[in-house]
Amino acid sequence: MPDLQALYQEEIMDHFRRPRNRGALPSANRWAEGHNPLCGDAVTLALHVEDDVIRAIRFEGCGCAVSQAASSMLTEAVEGCTVAQAHALSEAFDAMLKPGAEPDATALQLGRLAVFSGVAAFPSRVKCARLPWHTLAAALAGSDRTVTTEA
Amino acid sequence: MAGETAAGRTGDVGSPASDDAAESALSLAAIRAQFPLLSRTIHGRPLVYLDNAATTQKPAAVLHAVDAYYRESNANVHRGLHFLSEAASAAYEGAREEVCRFLNARSAAEIVFTRGTTEAVNLVAQSWGRRHLGPGDAVLLSTFEHHSNLVPWQMICEECGAALRVIPLTGEGELDLEAVPRLLDGSVRLVAVAHVSNALGALLPVREVVALAHERNIPVLVDGAQAVPHLQVDVQDLGCDFYAFSGHTVDGPTGIGVLYGRGERLEAMPPWQGGGEMIRSVRFEGSTYAAPPHRFEAGTPNIGGAVGLAAALRFLGGLPHAAMARHEQGLLNQAARRLAAIPGVSLIGGTAPRIGALSFVLDGVHPHDLGTFLDQEGVAIRAGHHCAQPLLHSLGLTATARASVAVYNTAAEITALTEGVERARRFFAG
């Protein structure tokens, strides 16, 4: 039986209640908007990328605890990363949420983001956690199109 | 608040005492025993199924009818001259007669089987719409519509160069009936409106809309998917031209539904899909088509589904309707009262009577988080936009939590819901 406490980890709830890096980024040169049409979750990311490094990132959005906490924690995780490092994190995050994934396999690389491993036991909520990561990929690809989790 | 009762329903059912009385008048335990799935556990907790507007559970009578059809009478209809084909045809056409009686249609020829409400609306949009809509014409909808009574009209309007018009909400969140005469100008060719809102459970003034439209000779289609499970629908009394509903929200199987169409309307409509069953004769030079209802049923139909639907309607028809309505209304009143007492809960909807469903939001807790929380306690509700995005947008919302009842739900289950919501509030408040 999936455990509610495993989904709503203390750290996740903390980021939901007190989001970090929330707001506008006047110096942004990359943007993307993501939404999950089934839930109404919406996330907008604004990045300042220079010399292939994410110098600053902010998010805005509304939605469930999982999508908003994932957005907040994403901003902390990728600020200061190179674009390649951000892509690698994104891949590790996706791998962690695949059915039957071994959380230990990606834990070291993901660091604090490993608190989202409990989401894998709630298939209907996986897309909530992935939404900001899909949005990040779109922003880094330079496409300012809207991405959705219902590809 | 759901103070009023719907047509055909009487009595104040607000007090717990009368809930109990309605439950015993219905022999609720006996009714529940007929729904095998209700006895299962979810995450180690007894199932509390409050997502009946999405689909109801199925009584043994329906499961047996479908099973017996496939075991004993399965064959294709209207084709073979053999015994089984005649048995299957009799079962299928018998199901049509059952639906005809249930809706009080004039004739079984007015009953077209479809895959569900959605396909029924698409049928009218494609067949009637393509013939009657053109540039400068309009179709009038209400703000409450489920996407299935909206997107098919949007598609055909785009194709024909026609426009969609919408009956707005009043400031209190009701259908603005006063705006209807003004909206029904010379360009409106058809009105399509829900009988009961799936997202909010609001009973809409369909009879008044039909009267206003018919004064101007404009036909009306009614989406009855959320009304048929709870109200005694009489299509002649309602006066509408088309009425659509789904089997699976009235205790029947998925994949079967009904389009009622007034005889003269269906007679004047061309086929919308071609194939077997819907033809009179076929030549390479051209074909002629069967009369309604078969004109609109191309291909081998869902015979087992129709048999199951007929069993469901017999089951529902066998329950004492007034007691059932009183019981369901009592459950909704109980839920509304208890939820409203929880800090941060807002009930969504105006003063229209609530039928079958109740929508609400909890401050600071997204409906999906609430849905996941309640699911862990075995309580199944719906969270989201309920396929009525324009309605939620008009109300300034993106999602709500919706609890929807059926005759087999109990006062104890409503308590499980409301206590669960209170626990969720404390959990997410930290």
Side-chain angles (χ1 to χ4, degrees), chain A residues 1-5 7-8 13 16-17 37-41 62-66 122 124-125 128, chain B residues 43-44 364-366 368-373 375-376 383-385 389 398-399 426-430:
Chain A
M1 168 182 152
D3 177 11
L4 213 54
Q5 304 287 347
L7 174 62
Y8 296 111
M13 294 307 291
F16 171 57
R17 295 189 189 111
L38 294 181
C39 308
D41 292 339
C62 59
C64 67
V66 177
F122 295 81
S124 63
R125 306 306 299 277
C128 309
Chain B
H43 306 313
V365 183
H366 191 277
H368 279 93
D369 291 318
L370 181 59
T372 296
F373 185 95
D375 178 57
Q376 292 304 301
H385 54 58
Q389 283 183 354
T398 54
R426 290 197 301 265
F427 179 88
F428 287 101

XYZ file of all heavy atoms in Angstrom, chain A residues 1-5 7-8 13 16-17 37-41 62-66 122 124-125 128, chain B residues 43-44 364-366 368-373 375-376 383-385 389 398-399 426-430:
367
model
N 0.846 -1.200 0.000
C 0.000 0.000 0.000
C 0.878 1.246 0.000
O 1.756 1.395 0.836
C -0.876 -0.034 1.252
C -1.590 1.272 1.517
S -2.556 1.152 3.039
C -2.547 2.839 3.553
N 0.645 2.153 -0.958
C 1.461 3.361 -1.008
C 1.215 4.201 0.240
O 0.125 4.210 0.789
C 0.982 4.076 -2.268
C -0.275 3.422 -2.670
C -0.392 2.126 -1.967
N 2.243 4.899 0.667
C 2.183 5.610 1.930
C 2.097 7.111 1.677
O 2.929 7.687 0.977
C 3.440 5.242 2.730
C 3.502 5.995 4.038
O 2.503 6.622 4.407
O 4.571 5.944 4.673
N 1.083 7.714 2.257
C 0.853 9.140 2.076
C 2.048 9.973 2.535
O 2.411 10.961 1.912
C -0.395 9.531 2.873
C -1.266 10.635 2.318
C -1.682 10.363 0.897
C -2.500 10.774 3.196
N 2.660 9.516 3.633
C 3.807 10.261 4.162
C 4.988 10.183 3.193
O 5.814 11.091 3.137
C 4.235 9.701 5.527
C 3.123 9.664 6.566
C 2.766 11.050 7.095
O 3.495 12.011 6.870
N 1.622 11.152 7.755
N 4.677 10.159 -0.035
C 4.397 11.106 -1.120
C 4.616 12.538 -0.631
O 5.327 13.320 -1.259
C 2.953 10.930 -1.597
C 2.450 11.938 -2.633
C 3.250 11.847 -3.921
C 0.969 11.681 -2.937
N 3.973 12.843 0.495
C 4.048 14.223 1.007
C 5.142 14.313 2.074
O 4.869 14.562 3.239
C 2.695 14.646 1.564
C 1.617 14.692 0.512
C 0.564 13.781 0.511
C 1.654 15.637 -0.514
C -0.428 13.814 -0.458
C 0.668 15.680 -1.489
C -0.369 14.767 -1.460
O -1.349 14.804 -2.423
N 6.470 19.230 1.494
C 5.451 20.109 2.059
C 6.042 21.477 2.413
O 5.379 22.505 2.269
C 4.809 19.459 3.295
C 4.000 18.205 2.982
S 2.759 18.467 1.692
C 1.611 19.532 2.571
N 6.270 23.403 -0.704
C 4.918 23.790 -1.141
C 4.446 25.010 -0.351
O 3.931 25.964 -0.921
C 3.954 22.613 -0.945
C 2.508 22.963 -1.165
C 2.073 23.515 -2.362
C 1.559 22.738 -0.164
C 0.734 23.831 -2.567
C 0.222 23.050 -0.366
C -0.185 23.601 -1.560
N 4.681 24.980 0.961
C 4.185 26.074 1.808
C 5.059 27.319 1.717
O 4.574 28.431 1.826
C 4.110 25.610 3.270
C 3.092 24.507 3.476
C 2.869 24.215 4.959
N 2.054 23.013 5.100
C 2.509 21.856 5.573
N 3.756 21.747 5.975
N 1.719 20.814 5.641
N -2.990 19.607 -18.439
C -4.385 19.945 -18.738
C -5.390 19.166 -17.892
O -6.489 19.638 -17.659
C -4.535 19.612 -20.223
C -3.353 18.795 -20.590
C -2.284 19.053 -19.590
N -5.015 18.000 -17.420
C -5.970 17.217 -16.640
C -6.136 17.768 -15.233
O -7.190 17.660 -14.631
C -5.541 15.747 -16.582
C -5.593 15.039 -17.939
C -5.183 13.588 -17.790
C -6.983 15.132 -18.547
N -5.062 18.333 -14.675
C -5.101 18.808 -13.286
C -5.318 20.302 -13.198
O -5.783 20.796 -12.196
C -3.780 18.544 -12.578
S -3.198 16.881 -12.688
N -4.860 21.019 -14.225
C -4.836 22.469 -14.099
C -3.539 22.967 -13.481
O -3.407 24.151 -13.207
N -2.578 22.072 -13.220
C -1.270 22.529 -12.740
C -0.629 23.389 -13.816
O -0.672 23.047 -15.004
C -0.321 21.339 -12.490
C -0.764 20.478 -11.326
O -1.527 20.969 -10.483
O -0.322 19.316 -11.261
N 0.676 27.635 -10.357
C -0.318 27.242 -9.365
C -0.642 25.781 -9.610
O -0.483 25.278 -10.717
C -1.573 28.101 -9.491
S -2.346 27.986 -11.092
N -1.050 25.118 -8.582
C -1.389 23.705 -8.737
C -1.206 22.960 -7.442
O -1.159 23.568 -6.365
N -1.065 21.639 -7.558
C -1.034 20.790 -6.377
C 0.311 20.911 -5.656
O 1.273 21.481 -6.175
C -1.303 19.346 -6.766
S 0.015 18.627 -7.755
N 0.366 20.355 -4.469
C 1.572 20.418 -3.637
C 2.757 19.803 -4.372
O 3.879 20.333 -4.314
C 1.325 19.683 -2.317
N 2.520 18.700 -5.078
C 3.628 17.992 -5.729
C 4.231 18.849 -6.848
O 5.448 19.021 -6.925
C 3.143 16.633 -6.281
C 4.268 15.931 -7.022
C 2.629 15.755 -5.147
N 2.498 6.493 -6.847
C 1.217 7.136 -7.148
C 1.205 7.510 -8.632
O 1.474 8.656 -8.986
C 1.036 8.398 -6.291
C 0.923 8.125 -4.817
C 2.061 7.904 -4.046
C -0.321 8.062 -4.204
C 1.948 7.642 -2.688
C -0.429 7.807 -2.843
C 0.712 7.592 -2.087
N -0.833 8.329 -10.823
C -1.600 9.481 -11.309
C -0.931 10.801 -10.924
O -1.316 11.857 -11.410
C -3.030 9.444 -10.778
O -3.022 9.549 -9.372
N 0.087 10.747 -10.043
C 0.719 11.982 -9.605
C 2.110 12.188 -10.196
O 2.737 13.228 -9.981
C 0.794 12.016 -8.072
C -0.548 11.796 -7.380
C -1.622 12.765 -7.854
N -1.261 14.140 -7.577
C -1.445 14.736 -6.406
N -1.997 14.085 -5.417
N -1.086 15.991 -6.239
N 2.662 15.272 -12.161
C 2.742 16.511 -11.379
C 4.211 16.822 -11.063
O 4.650 17.964 -11.160
C 1.957 16.393 -10.075
S 0.264 15.812 -10.274
N -6.818 0.006 -0.365
C -5.739 0.329 0.570
C -6.087 -0.153 1.978
O -5.830 0.526 2.965
C -5.475 1.840 0.606
C -5.203 2.442 -0.748
N -4.320 1.883 -1.656
C -5.706 3.543 -1.358
C -4.288 2.619 -2.755
N -5.124 3.624 -2.609
N -6.718 -1.316 2.068
C -7.036 -1.895 3.370
C -8.234 -1.258 4.078
O -8.527 -1.609 5.216
N -6.097 26.339 0.225
C -4.712 25.925 0.456
C -4.438 24.460 0.142
O -3.309 24.004 0.276
N -5.454 23.715 -0.269
C -5.255 22.306 -0.630
C -5.800 22.094 -2.037
O -7.006 22.272 -2.272
C -5.967 21.347 0.354
C -5.685 19.899 -0.013
C -5.535 21.630 1.784
N -4.920 21.739 -2.956
C -5.367 21.506 -4.321
C -6.271 20.268 -4.359
O -6.010 19.290 -3.657
C -4.153 21.300 -5.229
C -4.495 21.303 -6.689
N -4.957 20.183 -7.323
C -4.464 22.282 -7.618
C -5.191 20.478 -8.600
N -4.895 21.742 -8.795
N -6.452 17.849 -6.270
C -5.767 16.582 -6.529
C -5.077 16.044 -5.297
O -5.020 14.829 -5.086
C -4.780 16.739 -7.686
C -5.464 16.664 -9.001
N -5.914 17.770 -9.665
C -5.819 15.602 -9.758
C -6.505 17.400 -10.779
N -6.471 16.095 -10.861
N -4.531 16.943 -4.479
C -3.940 16.488 -3.220
C -5.026 15.935 -2.300
O -4.843 14.907 -1.647
C -3.201 17.645 -2.530
C -1.946 18.056 -3.300
O -1.224 17.154 -3.764
O -1.698 19.266 -3.444
N -6.175 16.615 -2.300
C -7.295 16.135 -1.481
C -7.763 14.767 -1.977
O -8.013 13.856 -1.172
C -8.440 17.160 -1.545
C -9.683 16.835 -0.727
C -9.341 16.688 0.742
C -10.742 17.918 -0.919
N -7.852 14.611 -3.309
C -8.273 13.331 -3.886
C -7.331 12.200 -3.519
O -7.769 11.097 -3.158
N -6.025 12.473 -3.585
C -5.037 11.448 -3.222
C -5.142 11.109 -1.735
O -5.093 9.938 -1.354
C -3.614 11.955 -3.544
O -3.503 12.133 -4.955
C -2.549 10.968 -3.096
N -5.321 12.124 -0.907
C -5.437 11.913 0.541
C -6.651 11.034 0.851
O -6.553 10.036 1.572
C -5.563 13.270 1.251
C -5.570 13.166 2.751
C -4.405 13.326 3.485
C -6.751 12.905 3.437
C -4.408 13.223 4.872
C -6.770 12.790 4.816
C -5.594 12.954 5.543
N -8.275 9.059 -1.131
C -8.116 7.723 -1.721
C -7.397 6.783 -0.753
O -7.723 5.600 -0.666
C -7.349 7.814 -3.040
C -7.117 6.442 -3.656
O -8.125 5.736 -3.898
O -5.957 6.070 -3.883
N -6.434 7.324 -0.019
C -5.713 6.496 0.949
C -6.627 6.009 2.063
O -6.334 5.033 2.734
C -4.538 7.290 1.558
C -3.441 7.583 0.568
C -2.906 6.323 -0.093
O -2.429 5.425 0.575
N -3.021 6.237 -1.399
N -11.550 14.736 -8.684
C -10.903 16.031 -8.511
C -10.433 16.505 -9.866
O -9.853 15.734 -10.627
C -9.718 15.901 -7.558
N -10.693 17.752 -10.184
C -10.225 18.272 -11.464
C -11.220 19.244 -12.049
O -11.970 19.884 -11.315
N -11.226 19.329 -13.380
C -12.128 20.281 -14.029
C -13.405 19.615 -14.520
O -14.273 20.250 -15.097
C -11.424 21.024 -15.161
C -10.781 20.126 -16.180
N -11.486 19.188 -16.885
C -9.499 20.013 -16.588
C -10.672 18.553 -17.709
N -9.455 19.019 -17.533
N -14.212 22.745 -18.472
C -13.238 23.827 -18.274
C -13.849 25.225 -18.427
O -13.560 26.097 -17.616
C -12.043 23.650 -19.226
C -11.088 22.562 -18.761
C -9.863 22.433 -19.654
O -9.759 23.083 -20.686
N -8.935 21.587 -19.249
N -9.792 26.448 -11.387
C -9.214 25.508 -12.349
C -9.608 24.077 -12.008
O -9.578 23.204 -12.865
C -7.679 25.590 -12.378
O -7.186 25.410 -11.048
C -7.191 26.920 -12.909
N -9.954 23.848 -10.757
C -10.310 22.485 -10.355
C -11.163 22.542 -9.090
O -11.073 23.484 -8.307
C -9.043 21.676 -10.086
N -6.096 19.360 8.139
C -5.068 19.436 9.184
C -3.718 18.956 8.652
O -2.681 19.535 8.940
C -5.491 18.621 10.413
C -6.665 19.253 11.161
C -6.806 18.679 12.560
N -7.020 17.250 12.557
C -8.220 16.672 12.599
N -9.305 17.412 12.697
N -8.343 15.363 12.583
N -3.745 17.894 7.833
C -2.508 17.326 7.278
C -1.770 18.363 6.427
O -0.568 18.558 6.562
C -2.857 16.095 6.437
C -1.668 15.427 5.783
C -0.949 14.443 6.459
C -1.278 15.774 4.494
C 0.145 13.825 5.855
C -0.181 15.160 3.883
C 0.522 14.185 4.575
N -2.503 19.028 5.544
C -1.836 19.945 4.612
C -1.533 21.304 5.257
O -0.671 22.032 4.782
C -2.663 20.119 3.331
C -2.607 18.913 2.447
C -3.644 17.996 2.407
C -1.479 18.666 1.676
C -3.579 16.864 1.602
C -1.397 17.536 0.871
C -2.449 16.633 0.835
N -2.277 21.637 6.328
C -1.980 22.899 7.009
C -0.666 22.765 7.780
O -0.012 23.752 8.091
C -3.119 23.271 7.958
N -0.274 21.535 8.087
C 1.004 21.304 8.758
C 0.926 21.672 10.221
O 1.384 22.683 10.665
